[in-house]
């Protein structure tokens, strides 16, 4: 296992080098400028996210699609991931993580638009979409669509499954002394009950969990920041200065502080909000919406809540606690976050554990849908149930394996998914601008899209 972990560490370091950072952040910035800063429409996006487009074609409501996407993104990336970014990249990683979210709003908008624009209707009436359909229908690059689907199916067992299960079992053992195998067995059972019911069951559970769990977690972060209010401004200054520091890294790391901060901040930022990853548009394609731009705006609000709000709060909590107590061990992301929440008397550790439990469990549910759609695209509907069984088993495996191994595997799969998706966004940016001009810039946000644009599924392999 150690040998495998070492190999994955080297692969992850290569994949998340400066070329990937430039491609990812460059795409965020390019689309932000090309689309005239869609971040300024964030309040419109939030308003649309709680409205129903009754009578529109789709499988779940816009809020249901958003809740499922948020469930898949608000998880260990926000809690353990931010702590890990600080532990590995220093306090400056928090700013890079936050900037990835701010500019990533434009990318998430673009992904959601293409998901609706190029979605297809299966013979049983279900709506199917995502980057693989945009690559195939929009660009005619079937081979790249297949690669994306393969990477997505693999990533669902990493970022969406084993990472989450591992985080739950580790904290349950630390907080309550529950054996990891016992936690894994419980999560297996709960996962099976929900995902066997399909997308509507997943969306229903996520719609109930997401607002509830986010409210409690944000309240806990605000409480800690109130306790550490003396260290809040110093934390902000430290985060900003370390994000652009050119001094040499210490502690055995090679390179400058800015390089480490950018690498781990952007990597954890992507892990947290998944802007550019191509996962969220898979469920966005199932939404009942009047036109592509409405769902694009709703999708973009997910990145705002996930990173601009929740990750920022987590980062400030962790860094302020480090400043308040210099003796805190800042080399382990999970323990660092756990110690920060211990500032809340009596309920701090239980609150963190409960928040992580609900966040991570909902992420497992959301990613199961992504993986299913990827498998269906590759092999057809008949393979879905086999995938679900493997997915449930992987929950148990993830509960008992090494955390370093799981995180490195997740980072590798993230990068491999992101590359073809980012290529599709850049290649189809003209279509994105055209649709945005048609519905948003000309004030036709309530216009119904032409349903004839939705292609009927004719792929025999997908209907076997």
């Amino acid at each position: 296992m150690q040998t495998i972990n070492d190999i994955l560490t080297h692969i992850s370091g290569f994949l998340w080098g400066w070329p990937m950072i430039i491609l990812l952040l460059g795409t965020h910035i390019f689309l932000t400028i090309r689309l005239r800063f869609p971040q300024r429409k964030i309040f419109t996006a939030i308003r649309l996210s709680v409205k129903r487009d009754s009578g529109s074609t789709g499988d779940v409501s816009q809020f249901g699609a958003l809740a499922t996407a948020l469930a898949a993104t608000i998880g260990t990336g926000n809690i353990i991931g931010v702590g890990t970014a600080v532990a590995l990249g220093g306090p400056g990683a928090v700013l890079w993580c936050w900037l990835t979210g701010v500019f990533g709003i434009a990318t998430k908008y673009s992904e959601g638009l293409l998901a609706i624009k190029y979605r297809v209707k299966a013979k049983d009436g279900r709506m199917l979409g995502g980057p693989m359909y945009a690559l195939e229908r929009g660009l005619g690059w079937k081979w790249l669509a297949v690669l994306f689907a393969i990477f997505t199916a693999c990533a669902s067992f990493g970022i969406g499954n084993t990472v989450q299960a591992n985080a739950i079992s580790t904290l349950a053992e630390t907080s309550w002394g529950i054996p990891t195998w016992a936690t894994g067995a419980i999560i297996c059972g709960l996962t099976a009950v929900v995902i066997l019911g399909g997308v509507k069951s997943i969306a229903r559970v996520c719609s109930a969990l997401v607002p509830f769990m986010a409210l409690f977690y944000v309240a806990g972060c605000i409480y800690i920041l109130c306790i550490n209010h003396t260290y809040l401004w110093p934390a902000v200054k430290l985060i900003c200065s370390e994000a652009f520091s050119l001094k040499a890294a210490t502690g055995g790391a090679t390179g400058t502080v800015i390089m480490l901060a950018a690498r781990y901040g952007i990597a954890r930022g992507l892990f947290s909000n998944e802007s550019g990853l191509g996962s969220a548009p898979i469920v966005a394609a199932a939404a009942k919406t009047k036109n592509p731009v409405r769902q694009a705006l709703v999708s973009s609000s997910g990145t705002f809540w996930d990173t601009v709000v929740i990750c920022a709060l987590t980062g400030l909590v962790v860094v302020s606690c480090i400043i308040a107590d210099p003796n805190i061990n800042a080399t382990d992301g999970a323990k660092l976050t756990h110690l920060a929440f211990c500032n809340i008397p009596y309920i701090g550790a239980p609150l963190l554990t409960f928040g992580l439990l609900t966040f991570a469990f909902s992420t497992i549910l959301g990613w199961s849908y992504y993986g299913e759609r990827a498998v269906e695209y590759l092999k057809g509907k008949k393979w879905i149930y086999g995938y679900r069984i493997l997915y449930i088993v992987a929950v148990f495996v993830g509960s008992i394996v090494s955390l370093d191994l799981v995180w490195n595997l997740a980072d590798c799969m993230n990068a491999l998914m992101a590359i073809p998706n980012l290529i599709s966004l850049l290649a189809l940016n003209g279509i994105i601008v055209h649709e945005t001009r048609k519905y948003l810039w000309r004030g036709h946000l309530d216009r119904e899209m032409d349903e004839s644009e939705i292609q009927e599924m004719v792929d025999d392999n997908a209907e076997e």
Side-chain angles (χ1 to χ4, degrees):
M1 296 295 286
Q2 184 58 47
T3 301
I4 295 175
N5 186 49
D6 291 341
I7 294 173
L8 288 175
T9 299
H10 288 296
I11 295 175
S12 176
F14 171 76
L15 291 174
W16 283 108
W18 280 109
M20 171 58 78
I21 290 175
I22 292 171
L23 175 62
L24 178 62
L25 198 56
T27 300
H28 290 349
I29 296 173
F30 170 75
L31 291 174
T32 293
I33 297 172
R34 188 84 164 90
L35 297 170
R36 303 178 185 176
F37 292 84
Q39 292 88 342
R40 59 193 173 88
K41 296 292 184 179
I42 192 62
F43 293 109
T44 300
I46 294 172
R47 176 176 57 83
L48 290 174
S49 69
V50 295
K51 292 183 65 176
R52 287 182 177 272
D53 282 0
S54 56
S56 300
T57 303
D59 303 328
V60 296
S61 67
Q62 287 180 316
F63 181 75
L66 174 63
T68 302
L70 277 173
T73 54
I74 301 180
T76 54
N78 307 84
I79 305 177
I80 305 300
V82 174
T84 302
V86 173
L88 297 175
V94 175
L95 181 61
W96 286 104
C97 183
W98 187 78
L99 288 174
T100 301
V102 172
F103 288 106
I105 289 174
T107 301
K108 187 64 74 71
Y109 169 91
S110 302
E111 291 175 322
L113 190 152
L114 293 180
I116 299 297
K117 175 69 176 177
Y118 293 111
R119 67 181 178 178
V120 301
K121 182 184 291 185
K123 290 182 180 179
D124 58 6
R126 291 175 302 117
M127 304 304 297
L128 307 176
M132 52 275 204
Y133 293 93
L135 286 164
E136 180 181 354
R137 295 188 60 206
L139 295 170
W141 296 347
K142 174 77 173 180
W143 64 273
L144 194 56
V146 170
L147 282 179
F148 175 84
I150 292 173
F151 296 148
T152 301
C154 293
S156 69
F157 288 98
I159 181 177
N161 186 318
T162 51
V163 163
Q164 314 302 327
N166 188 279
I168 294 173
S169 63
T170 300
L171 266 185
E173 184 178 43
T174 301
S175 302
W176 301 321
I178 301 175
T180 55
W181 64 265
T183 302
I186 294 171
I187 300 300
C188 273
L190 294 174
T191 302
V193 169
V194 179
I195 70 172
L196 293 178
V199 64
K200 293 183 178 179
S201 174
I202 294 171
R204 187 164 53 249
V205 173
C206 292
S207 296
L209 276 179
V210 167
F212 175 75
M213 67 189 187
L215 178 63
F216 272 88
Y217 182 74
V218 168
C221 287
I222 292 175
Y223 180 86
I224 296 173
L225 291 177
C226 288
I227 294 175
N228 291 340
H229 67 276
T230 305
Y231 308 101
L232 184 56
W233 182 242
V236 173
K237 291 195 295 184
L238 181 62
I239 288 171
C240 293
S241 63
E242 290 290 300
F244 301 102
S245 175
L246 295 176
K247 66 182 181 181
T250 59
T254 57
T256 60
V257 170
I258 183 176
M259 182 174 180
L260 289 174
R263 176 192 166 189
Y264 288 107
I266 293 175
R268 292 296 179 257
L270 174 60
F271 183 89
S272 170
N273 61 56
E274 298 178 15
S275 294
L277 190 63
S279 53
I282 296 175
V283 70
K288 297 176 182 178
T289 186
K290 290 181 180 179
N291 57 62
V293 170
R294 288 176 73 91
Q295 182 55 40
L297 288 169
V298 172
S299 294
S300 71
S301 69
T303 298
F304 171 79
W305 292 120
D306 177 87
T307 305
V308 178
V309 176
I310 295 180
C311 276
L313 285 173
T314 304
L316 287 172
V317 163
V318 171
V319 176
S320 66
C321 288
I322 292 175
I323 296 175
D325 184 3
N327 295 321
I328 287 181
N329 181 9
T331 60
D332 187 305
K335 292 181 180 178
L336 186 58
T337 309
H338 182 265
L339 289 172
F341 269 79
C342 285
N343 281 278
I344 304 178
Y346 306 112
I347 65 170
L351 175 64
L352 175 62
T353 303
F354 176 74
L356 183 61
L357 174 65
T358 52
F359 282 160
F361 178 62
S362 63
T363 300
I364 291 172
L365 300 181
W367 266 90
S368 69
Y369 180 77
Y370 300 157
E372 280 187 20
R373 296 289 74 81
V375 169
E376 182 173 2
Y377 179 83
L378 292 169
K379 300 298 294 182
K381 188 177 178 180
K382 66 179 181 180
W383 286 72
I384 290 178
Y385 290 103
Y387 166 83
R388 289 175 178 173
I389 298 301
L390 289 176
Y391 194 84
I392 293 168
V393 172
V395 170
F396 182 80
V397 175
S399 299
I400 59 177
V401 297
S402 166
L403 181 62
D404 289 339
L405 174 62
V406 172
W407 274 106
N408 283 324
L409 178 62
D411 275 347
C412 291
M413 291 299 103
N414 283 0
L416 292 174
M417 276 185 69
I419 292 172
N421 179 59
L422 293 172
I423 290 173
S424 73
L425 291 173
L426 294 173
L428 293 170
N429 76 88
I431 297 295
I432 298 169
V433 171
H434 172 78
E435 295 294 310
T436 302
R437 180 184 298 111
K438 178 180 178 181
Y439 293 106
L440 183 60
W441 296 345
R442 292 177 178 172
H444 298 150
L445 201 54
D446 291 326
R447 177 186 292 178
E448 297 278 354
M449 68 181 293
D450 185 357
E451 295 293 337
S452 65
E453 294 181 18
I454 302 177
Q455 176 180 304
E456 298 290 336
M457 175 66 76
V458 295
D459 187 348
D460 293 335
N461 182 57
E463 292 298 325
E464 289 180 357

